[in-house]
Amino acid sequence: MLSLKTIKIKIAETGIEHFCRRDSFLYDCLRDAGISLPSECGGHGVCGKCKVKVLPTSSLTPPSNAEKRLLTQEELENGIRLACQAKLIRNVEVAILSTIETYNIRLTKETQHCERDPKLIAKTFVISPERLGTSKGILEDLESTLNAQVRSLLVIKTLPQLSKKNEHRGKAIIYNDEILDLLPASSSRKLLGLAIDLGTTTLIGYLDNLESGENLAVSVQLNPQRVWGADIISRISIVMEKSKHLGALQKAVVKAINEMAKELCYKANVSCEDIYRIVVVGNPTMLHILAGVNPSSIAIAPFTPVFLRYLELSAKELGISQVHPACKISLMPHVSSYIGSDVLAGLISSGFLREMRALYVDLGTNGEIVLKAGKQIFATSTAAGPAFEGATIKRGSVAWQGAVDHVWIENGMLRYSVIGEREAETICGSGIVDLIAAALKSGLIDPRGRIVPPRRDGFEAFVREVDGERAVRLSEKVYLTQSDIRKIQLAKAAISTGIRILMEESGVSSDTLKIYIAGIFGTRINIHNAFKIGLLPSTSGENIVQLGNAAGLGARMILHNRNHERLINELRSCITTLELSTDSRFSDAFIENMSFPSENI
């Protein structure tokens, strides 16, 4: 029997009903029901993206101050509410206006063949009859034959099955010096591994055949932790507020990995039980949460993480079930609290280490920058935030279906393309860079970032007022407001200032640098427009390499070759990190870099 304190939520589109406690936030209840609403602010009433329509309107608490600020009076009168602000009073029917959609990335060379020298191998064996019948057991004879150890009772229990007719032969799956599994000699089981790039925004998995070095399938999805906030500080903050949130964040990403493993195996027509090893790269916060370790110390001075070194765990410890029970999980090491194993993996896969002078820029949520000058390597991270991935931008999004991804000027008009060739709903990072560059060229934005009063040259039609502020408008639904442009200025100033300080520290100039651009956003951007808005230092286009998911390729290389795993451990100790928050040069350079370049590049 339901309690009087229990409220029923009915989802209009599906008719599904979900029950939760009275006075719960609607956002939390919908998340528990498996509905992921866009929410870049983690449910703090700042981004205004978790809009839903409710009936009746009296079923929720009155609109909060945040809702009155972010929603129009017409929206409120029509039952539009922010799910993160509205608490349940009585039974309600909810229409979902938007959900987190499938992420769209372009794969480049991330699935190339990898050279093999694996830690995980399949080895056939035969225990000769003359070795049996001594004081040793079959287990000891097996270990001596394979020069490896059995540390699992499950493996021991398989020995009788391989001893029929006194024929002690079979196939052993060996990881380093440990026997993970025993199979009949005739077994056709494959030896598979999973490489995961666990990003703040995106989760990308690669299913590989460890006996051939070939990639079998790729899966991409948004990190489900986004519903708790778009950046790592938001997620750490929510853990600091209530420690139970750590478990929720960990369960969300483990569930995503399990679902990803099933999807990959379905695509490749193989069994999940063939996955014996997983390599994970990511920033320290993401790997702390995956391991179920509280990351709070990363956000509190002196910003010391619980672990930076390589960790090897079992799948069972983490709750990863869609793999072989003996599967080994390798969490790669980090450089510092904000320079993670994803950056190290990208340095290994990119060709960066072979250059005399090179710059590596990961244009993701955290903005990591690495510069090589001869034998010295410097690194820093910038508080760029998730603006270039569409978060905090009113009509922004990641690169999903319906997002504007490119903008250009044609015949005196602003033109644009949309992912999925459908009606424009939002604008992603590459589209934002293009739109600002086009607006600068056409005079709609001045070098200080201000949207200027409309002129009479045809472009005036693209300047409108939206919610009380000027906006450069591409369509009815897609625009950049003045406050959006300020956020982009802050993000690009953080990145360009970090680059500038590393160049000053190393004594190199941009024209001598090979520049590697990593990250999904970095794959899509128009490099010339990135120069135009001052995001990247001006250089010859020939010196720019757009890598795509370099971290994912690096994770695959580690999965296949123990030498790359050794290299990533050695590399972390060769990097000098610079902390920009305590650098006296940062403030002045940051203010200077807020402006856009005044001349066309």
Side-chain angles (χ1 to χ4, degrees):
M1 184 176 180
L2 296 176
S3 164
L4 292 175
K5 294 183 178 180
T6 302
I7 301 295
K8 180 175 71 175
I9 301 174
K10 183 177 181 180
I11 311 302
E13 290 82 357
T14 62
I16 293 174
E17 296 179 349
H18 183 73
F19 296 91
C20 56
R21 291 182 62 83
R22 186 186 301 272
D23 291 331
S24 298
F25 282 107
L26 180 56
Y27 181 85
D28 295 334
C29 296
L30 290 173
R31 184 180 64 205
D32 293 342
I35 296 173
S36 298
L37 297 176
S39 177
E40 317 298 356
C41 67
H44 288 87
V46 177
C47 70
K49 293 187 177 181
C50 60
K51 293 180 182 180
V52 294
K53 186 171 184 176
V54 299
L55 187 71
T57 55
S58 59
S59 57
L60 305 175
T61 51
S64 66
N65 290 333
E67 289 178 286
K68 292 175 182 177
R69 184 179 71 254
L70 294 167
L71 300 174
T72 65
Q73 185 59 38
E74 182 181 0
E75 285 179 317
L76 290 170
E77 290 173 356
N78 289 328
I80 305 297
R81 299 293 301 272
L82 296 183
C84 73
Q85 296 294 297
K87 288 186 176 181
L88 295 163
I89 298 175
R90 54 182 62 89
N91 295 347
V92 63
E93 183 169 336
V94 181
I96 308 301
L97 301 183
S98 60
T99 58
I100 294 177
E101 300 185 42
T102 303
Y103 201 21
N104 183 287
I105 71 165
R106 296 172 182 169
L107 294 174
T108 51
K109 62 177 183 178
E110 296 96 322
T111 56
Q112 67 186 33
H113 180 277
C114 288
E115 294 182 4
R116 296 179 60 252
D117 182 14
K119 294 173 70 173
L120 183 69
I121 61 170
K123 187 175 182 180
T124 57
F125 66 88
V126 177
I127 302 176
S128 59
E130 55 266 24
R131 297 189 63 172
L132 300 173
T134 65
S135 58
K136 291 182 179 180
I138 298 173
L139 175 61
E140 287 82 356
D141 284 326
L142 174 72
E143 290 178 329
S144 177
T145 299
L146 293 172
N147 193 28
Q149 300 294 309
V150 172
R151 301 189 181 103
S152 166
L153 184 59
L154 290 175
V155 176
I156 296 174
K157 287 181 175 180
T158 63
L159 277 172
Q161 301 171 29
L162 300 176
S163 303
K164 295 176 180 179
K165 299 181 181 179
N166 207 31
E167 294 181 3
H168 300 278
R169 63 180 67 240
K171 181 188 295 184
I173 308 300
I174 303 173
Y175 179 74
N176 281 340
D177 64 345
E178 180 181 357
I179 301 171
L180 299 184
D181 198 12
L182 293 175
L183 305 168
S186 60
S187 172
S188 60
R189 174 168 285 182
K190 295 177 172 59
L191 196 60
L192 305 181
L194 183 58
I196 296 176
D197 175 16
L198 180 51
T200 309
T201 300
T202 312
L203 186 66
I204 307 178
Y206 302 85
L207 181 67
D208 282 18
N209 185 322
L210 298 183
E211 295 178 292
S212 67
E214 298 297 328
N215 173 254
L216 303 178
V218 183
S219 175
V220 185
Q221 59 179 265
L222 288 175
N223 189 325
Q225 296 170 349
R226 280 174 63 90
V227 298
W228 284 275
D231 55 69
I232 59 174
I233 298 302
S234 297
R235 296 177 203 174
I236 292 175
S237 296
I238 201 166
V239 171
M240 293 172 71
E241 287 175 13
K242 288 185 180 179
S243 58
K244 70 176 184 179
H245 287 144
L246 174 61
L249 286 162
Q250 199 257 358
K251 286 179 181 177
V253 73
V254 167
K255 181 182 178 184
I257 291 173
N258 280 324
E259 291 174 350
M260 176 174 280
K262 287 178 66 176
E263 177 195 342
L264 287 166
C265 290
Y266 176 79
K267 286 180 177 178
N269 193 27
V270 294
S271 169
C272 288
E273 283 215 347
D274 292 354
I275 300 175
Y276 285 93
R277 192 186 183 202
I278 299 177
V279 168
V280 186
V281 299
N283 66 61
T285 298
M286 291 299 95
L287 267 59
H288 272 60
I289 293 173
L290 173 62
V293 176
N294 194 313
S296 298
S297 60
I298 293 174
I300 304 171
F303 313 110
T304 306
V306 176
F307 64 89
L308 287 174
R309 70 170 179 83
Y310 171 96
L311 290 182
E312 189 169 278
L313 308 169
S314 70
K316 187 175 181 180
E317 282 181 282
L318 295 184
I320 297 175
S321 58
Q322 297 299 316
V323 293
H324 190 276
C327 180
K328 297 291 186 180
I329 315 289
S330 300
L331 307 187
M332 291 296 109
H334 314 288
V335 179
S336 67
S337 294
Y338 296 103
I339 306 292
S341 54
D342 51 347
V343 175
L344 292 174
L347 296 182
I348 288 172
S349 69
S350 63
F352 172 91
L353 297 175
R354 295 191 294 270
E355 303 289 347
M356 281 300 294
R357 295 179 181 84
L359 181 70
Y360 181 97
V361 185
D362 188 339
L363 293 175
T365 306
N366 306 312
E368 297 99 341
I369 306 164
V370 186
L371 190 146
K372 186 173 186 288
K375 294 183 179 180
Q376 290 184 297
I377 302 178
F378 302 91
T380 192
S381 62
T382 64
F388 280 119
E389 294 187 335
T392 73
I393 305 301
K394 287 186 178 178
R395 296 304 304 165
S397 74
V398 292
W400 60 31
Q401 299 290 314
V404 171
D405 62 342
H406 288 295
V407 181
W408 62 93
I409 297 174
E410 183 180 310
N411 299 325
M413 299 285 286
L414 295 180
R415 307 290 187 186
Y416 58 88
S417 60
V418 182
I419 297 173
E421 298 182 355
R422 49 188 271 189
E423 181 187 1
E425 298 280 346
T426 59
I427 184 167
C428 66
S430 57
I432 291 170
V433 170
D434 286 354
L435 179 53
I436 291 177
L440 285 166
K441 184 175 182 179
S442 61
L444 296 177
I445 300 175
D446 68 16
R448 295 175 63 182
R450 296 177 302 180
I451 299 176
V452 299
R455 303 172 307 179
R456 301 258 178 214
D457 58 0
F459 285 105
E460 68 272 10
F462 295 99
V463 176
R464 290 285 185 271
E465 188 171 289
V466 177
D467 297 334
E469 61 177 334
R470 278 186 185 154
V472 179
R473 194 166 191 164
L474 285 178
S475 70
E476 190 67 26
K477 295 181 179 180
V478 179
Y479 49 81
L480 286 182
T481 65
Q482 184 66 74
S483 57
D484 289 335
I485 293 170
R486 289 286 179 249
K487 290 170 185 173
I488 295 299
Q489 287 180 277
L490 290 168
K492 79 97 181 174
I495 292 169
S496 56
T497 301
I499 294 172
R500 175 170 161 179
I501 290 176
L502 286 190
M503 289 170 59
E504 289 179 2
E505 192 73 19
S506 63
V508 302
S509 59
S510 62
D511 57 353
T512 64
L513 286 173
K514 187 90 166 186
I515 301 179
Y516 292 91
I517 308 300
I520 304 304
F521 164 54
T523 306
R524 285 186 174 273
I525 61 169
N526 181 305
I527 290 297
H528 296 290
N529 286 337
F531 293 157
K532 183 171 179 58
I533 72 169
L535 176 62
L536 297 174
S538 176
T539 187
S540 166
E542 296 176 356
N543 290 335
I544 299 286
V545 180
Q546 290 174 275
L547 296 169
N549 186 26
L553 175 56
R556 290 188 60 234
M557 292 168 68
I558 294 164
L559 182 67
H560 288 278
N561 197 312
R562 67 180 73 224
N563 291 323
H564 291 119
E565 185 172 313
R566 192 177 301 120
L567 178 58
I568 198 172
N569 277 292
E570 294 172 355
L571 181 59
R572 60 188 290 255
S573 62
C574 300
I575 296 176
T576 301
T577 57
L578 274 66
E579 180 52 61
L580 296 182
S581 62
T582 58
D583 195 303
S584 59
R585 296 168 289 185
F586 184 79
S587 295
D588 289 344
F590 181 84
I591 293 170
E592 183 179 332
N593 285 322
M594 278 287 290
S595 295
F596 296 114
S598 57
E599 296 181 3
N600 291 344
I601 298 176

